[in-house]
Amino acid sequence: MPKVAKRMQAVYEGLDRRASYSLQDAVKLLKSRTKVKFDETVEVSFNLGVDPRHADQMVRGVCLLPHGTGKTVKVAVFARGDKAEEAKAAGADIVGAEELVAEVQAGNIDFERCIATPDMMPLVGRLGKVLGPRGLMPNPKVGTVTPDVAKAVQDAKGGAVQFRVEKAGIVHGGVGKLSFDEDKLVENIRAFYDAVNKAKPTGAKGTYMKKASMTSTMGPGLKVEIASMVADA
């Protein structure tokens, strides 16, 4: 049996793949079943009752996790003058205007989050075909087109997670590291659930939150009871 298959067999040993777990139990199970030496990322997925092909059923937003993601995020900011200085002071890794646009157009994309001041968008708009497919295009709906670049940089560095529904109606996001305390992971996951729930579009019909699951980078996939994700559950 291949090594990967053996590892996954060990990870799932004793688990009922059809069972649904409370959020607390799912977190405990993931933490107890880690079999690797690196700090795995925990990811949560929601199956939503929406059809994103329709504009009034698009789900998109941002969630500021109370305990951060546990990941160092490299942030680029398109800004000039005082706003560029504010971005640098807030901890932005890359700051620029026309010269940064040229770098991105040349394929030099050495960042994981992108922020722009409103006055830069006529220039940044040219980068849609480059940044869009990577999920990096600044957008006012998720707070990445803003005059308050300092706050946007601090949020990005502090644990802001952007989410957007995929074609199959799935929303997912990284909500922390497996090394986090159980309580901190639970709080992060509940914050993410709350943000996605509040982003319910006007065109959504029937059940909005249909299914929930969570996993870690190399861990098992677990079904999670949606009711247990509510903050006072």
Side-chain angles (χ1 to χ4, degrees), residues 124-135:
V124 179
R126 303 174 191 172
L127 305 175
K129 291 183 178 179
V130 181
L131 297 177
R134 293 174 169 82

Side-chain angles (χ1 to χ4, degrees), residues 12-21 29 33 221-223:
Y12 276 100
E13 187 175 0
L15 281 180
D16 181 355
R17 300 194 190 195
R18 297 167 297 178
S20 293
Y21 299 91
L29 276 171
R33 286 176 177 263
L222 304 174
K223 296 177 183 177

